[in-house]
Amino acid sequence: MKREWKQIIFIIAFMIIGVLIGRIAVSAQIAQFNDPEIIRLFTEKGMEVPEPLSFAQGMTGFALLFSGFPTGAIIFRHFADKWLRSTAPKIVIAILTLPIYVTIGAVCSVPMLIYKLYAACTK
């Protein structure tokens, strides 16, 4: 299997995992806000009771977050292979810049997935 297809499958797999975890998290949040003890806790502290996320918002958010991990790793690998030669600086820089690349990956995961699919299909 070519490298592009492996990357596409990797991003889609993480996206599916994010959707599943997002569904579980939203279900847990809805169940938590149906509990009268939680509502009473919020009102006793003088706080507003927040509305739980919708399933679409939670699943989309977690899907983008989780697909940001492999997309950020792909972007980091591209830059690291281009500019860094030895392994030690790559590891240190990867650890220090992980949150940045995950954030960039979460924003770029869908466009990168579309680009990779287009590039892989036109070859």
Side-chain angles (χ1 to χ4, degrees):
M1 192 182 308
K2 288 188 174 183
R3 183 176 175 185
E4 290 87 17
W5 284 106
K6 286 181 183 178
Q7 290 174 347
I8 291 167
I9 292 170
F10 199 50
I11 292 171
I12 290 173
F14 268 77
M15 198 173 277
I16 291 170
I17 291 169
V19 166
L20 295 174
I21 292 175
R23 175 144 174 98
I24 292 168
V26 170
S27 298
Q29 187 183 30
I30 289 172
Q32 189 177 31
F33 283 122
N34 286 335
D35 184 15
E37 286 294 317
I38 299 293
I39 296 172
R40 187 179 57 78
L41 177 71
F42 277 109
T43 55
E44 281 181 357
K45 301 286 184 181
M47 297 188 297
E48 184 178 323
V49 179
E51 288 200 26
L53 287 174
S54 69
F55 280 104
Q57 290 173 333
M59 290 167 45
T60 304
F62 274 90
L64 289 175
L65 177 68
F66 274 80
S67 65
F69 286 106
T71 307
I74 291 167
I75 294 170
F76 173 76
R77 184 174 178 184
H78 172 75
F79 289 128
D81 289 345
K82 201 176 220 180
W83 291 328
L84 299 174
R85 298 290 177 222
S86 64
T87 306
K90 286 182 186 179
I91 294 171
V92 171
I93 292 174
I95 291 170
L96 293 175
T97 60
L98 177 69
I100 296 167
Y101 280 104
V102 169
T103 305
I104 292 170
V107 172
C108 298
S109 61
V110 174
M112 185 173 191
L113 189 61
I114 293 169
Y115 170 74
K116 291 276 184 186
L117 281 170
Y118 176 76
C121 291
T122 56
K123 283 187 178 181

